[in-house]
Structure formats: structure tokens, C-alpha cells
Amino acid sequence: MKGWKPSPPFLLLLPAIIVLAAVVVVPLLLSLYSSFTPFRLTRPETFWVFIGARNYINIFTNRDFWAAFARTVVLLTVALNLEMLIGLGLALLVEKASRGQRLLRTIMMFPMMFSPILVGFQFKFMFNDNIGLVNNALQALGLTDRAIPWLIDGNLAFIAILTAEIWSSTSVFAILILAGLLAMPREPLEAARVDGCTPWQTFRYVTWPFIMPFAFIAMTIRSLDVARAYDIVKIMTDGGPAGRTELVWTLVARTAYSDAKMGLANAMAYFSILLSIGFTVYFYRKLAAARTQIAAEW
């Protein structure tokens, strides 16, 4: 356009826009395009061969992908429910504390300070067959007379990964639920006591409906974290033994870099993103329903 002159705010933002486009937008577009190609890292010329939706169609018959997806769903379901129950219990205990509540809140947030890679190394050492803290403690207590192969047996390795995930992220539920408890007005609780409600009835019909939205917010955040779990699994088992702990994103990484099938790996990644969006929409609908219920009851 003749005579067009960019405004000063646009010029100031232009470097940031260029950087974001270079490191985010362009790689995303290239990866999306490559998901429609048979691109292999060992054959760069295949990047320019367009095969349509063949990679996405192959996913539906890929047993490894659906096995990894099923394990991810199991990990997500079990981890989220246990984290919510434990986090709810911790939040209720801290909320009842008359002294040292600030210190307890700080301690409760402590696991969130560790990166997933560090948590993976920490629990890999703890579940080590020979020198691990878990086996040494079990043997010292007389609960077992031999070393348990935590990271070698498929089922036990999955339990070890689940333990690491729960330890590192239960505080997300605890902090958000505690925020809901602290924001809750006292009048409905006093009214419930005056009406003769038991502690369980007070929690079930008064406390839980109020803190439910906070629990769903934590569940939404954690569902996205677990759905893209990679670091802890990579460090602790690398998807082994024999793929028994392979999750979606460890499978994507193995397909892309070990098998060099970058096109197929990107198709798996985008398909997984669509599934994650579906989970997020589901949780947000639950959150909206919980808010509507609170608005009607309060």
C-alpha cells in the first residue's frame, strides 16, 4: 500500500513476532506438512513426497500406538483419581491446622519445585534392584527376603512410574483445593452444624460442591500433563521392558528418532493432540456444570 507506514507499537513488537514465527509457527507448519509425507531422517528427499492422509490412516491399524494410548489412558485415569484423593486429604488436613499453616503449604508445594527429569532420576535410584531405597526398606522391615525387580517387571515398572507421577504432582490438586477451602464462606458450614449434619453430610452436600470447580481445574491441568508424559518414563524405563511402559509420547520419540520415521511420528503427535483437546473439552464442560450447580445452590 502506497504511503503505508507501520505504527511504533508494531515496530516494537516486530522482533518478538519474528522470533515467535521462527521458533514456533514455522516448525509447527513444517511438522504438520511432514505428517502428510513419508519423511524419514535417513532420506531427506522424502520430505517433498506428498502421500495425503496415509500416515493418519496407518495409525488406526498401528497396534503399538493403540497399546501406548491405552497405557496412557490407564496412567491418566489412575494418577488423576489418586492425586485428587490424596490432594483433597492433604488440603483438608492443612485447612484444619491451627498453627504452622504457611509452613505446611510451603512443604506441600515442595515436590513441584523438581523438574520431571530430576524426579525420574530420583525414583529410578529409589526403585533400583540392588541399592534402591524401596528394596532396602522392605528388606529391613522383613517384608521381603529378596530384591524386587521394580524397573524390570512390566507391571511393577508401571507402578513405579505411577508413584513418581503421583509424588511429583499431587501438590497441584492440594494447592488448588486448599485455595477453594480457604475461599469458602463459613456461614453454610455453621448452618449445616446447627441443622445437625454429620461431618460426612457437611462435606458431601456443602463443602464438596463448592470446591468441585477447583478440583476440575486441577484435573484439567494434570490431564494435559499426564497425556504428554515423557520425561519421567524416558528416564526410569525408556518405555521398557519390552515396551510394557511405552506411552504415546515415548512412542512418538522412538518412532521419530530411533526408527527415523519422522512423518509417521508427527502424524501420531497431531492425532494425540486432537485426543488431548477432546479430554480438555470434556473437563471444561464438567467445570461449567459444576459452576452452574454452585450458582444455583449458593
Side-chain angles (χ1 to χ4, degrees):
M1 292 182 295
K2 187 176 181 180
W4 180 77
K5 185 179 179 180
S7 62
F10 177 79
L11 291 175
L12 290 172
L13 290 173
L14 186 59
I17 294 172
I18 294 174
V19 171
L20 285 175
V23 302
V24 178
V25 178
V26 173
L28 280 176
L29 292 176
L30 290 175
S31 65
L32 179 61
Y33 165 77
S34 69
S35 70
F36 296 98
T37 71
F39 179 43
R40 297 179 67 97
L41 293 177
T42 54
R43 297 176 58 192
E45 68 278 5
T46 57
F47 182 78
W48 308 107
V49 180
F50 187 79
I51 59 172
R54 190 183 304 171
N55 285 330
Y56 291 92
I57 295 172
N58 290 339
I59 289 174
F60 288 97
T61 57
N62 190 317
R63 292 184 178 180
D64 290 340
F65 176 82
W66 290 110
F69 175 76
R71 292 188 201 98
T72 305
V73 172
V74 170
L75 179 68
L76 186 149
T77 303
V78 177
L80 287 186
N81 282 281
L82 290 178
E83 287 174 16
M84 187 178 70
L85 290 175
I86 298 172
L88 175 62
L90 290 174
L92 290 171
L93 290 174
V94 172
E95 194 265 340
K96 294 294 183 183
S98 57
R99 292 183 181 181
Q101 193 177 99
R102 292 183 179 179
L103 177 61
L104 291 174
R105 289 203 299 264
T106 303
I107 295 174
M108 195 163 59
M109 293 178 64
F110 186 70
M112 297 174 62
M113 303 176 187
F114 292 89
S115 69
I117 293 177
L118 185 57
V119 173
F121 278 115
Q122 173 184 327
F123 277 85
K124 184 176 183 179
F125 171 77
M126 290 177 61
F127 284 101
N128 184 275
D129 295 358
N130 300 316
I131 60 174
L133 176 64
V134 175
N135 274 339
N136 286 332
L138 292 175
Q139 290 174 341
L141 293 172
L143 298 177
T144 181
D145 56 354
R146 61 183 180 83
I148 299 175
W150 290 100
L151 301 179
I152 298 176
D153 181 271
N155 294 326
L156 295 178
F158 194 84
I159 293 174
I161 292 170
L162 182 64
T163 304
E165 283 283 348
I166 292 173
W167 181 88
S168 65
S169 300
T170 295
S171 51
V172 175
F173 280 89
I175 292 298
L176 287 173
I177 293 175
L178 180 61
L181 290 172
L182 295 177
M184 184 176 178
R186 302 293 99 181
E187 291 81 3
L189 297 176
E190 296 297 332
R193 293 192 185 98
V194 171
D195 291 341
C197 294
T198 64
W200 166 248
Q201 290 173 329
T202 302
F203 172 78
R204 172 65 180 83
Y205 297 105
V206 180
T207 304
W208 177 244
F210 185 86
I211 64 175
M212 191 184 298
F214 297 88
F216 276 123
I217 291 172
M219 195 168 290
T220 302
I221 296 171
R222 282 295 298 142
S223 66
L224 295 176
D225 286 340
V226 178
R228 57 184 176 84
Y230 175 79
D231 310 72
I232 291 177
V233 181
K234 178 67 177 178
I235 297 299
M236 291 184 67
T237 63
D238 196 18
R244 296 286 296 278
T245 59
E246 190 92 89
L247 302 182
V248 168
W249 288 101
T250 57
L251 175 64
V252 169
R254 179 169 63 81
T255 303
Y257 300 110
S258 298
D259 301 341
K261 299 178 181 178
M262 186 62 73
L264 178 60
N266 282 329
M268 290 180 177
Y270 279 101
F271 188 75
S272 301
I273 290 171
L274 291 176
L275 294 175
S276 297
I277 291 173
F279 275 108
T280 305
V281 170
Y282 170 78
F283 283 125
Y284 270 114
R285 286 182 176 177
K286 289 290 186 179
L287 175 60
R291 286 176 172 173
T292 303
Q293 180 179 351
I294 286 181
E297 294 180 357
W298 290 68

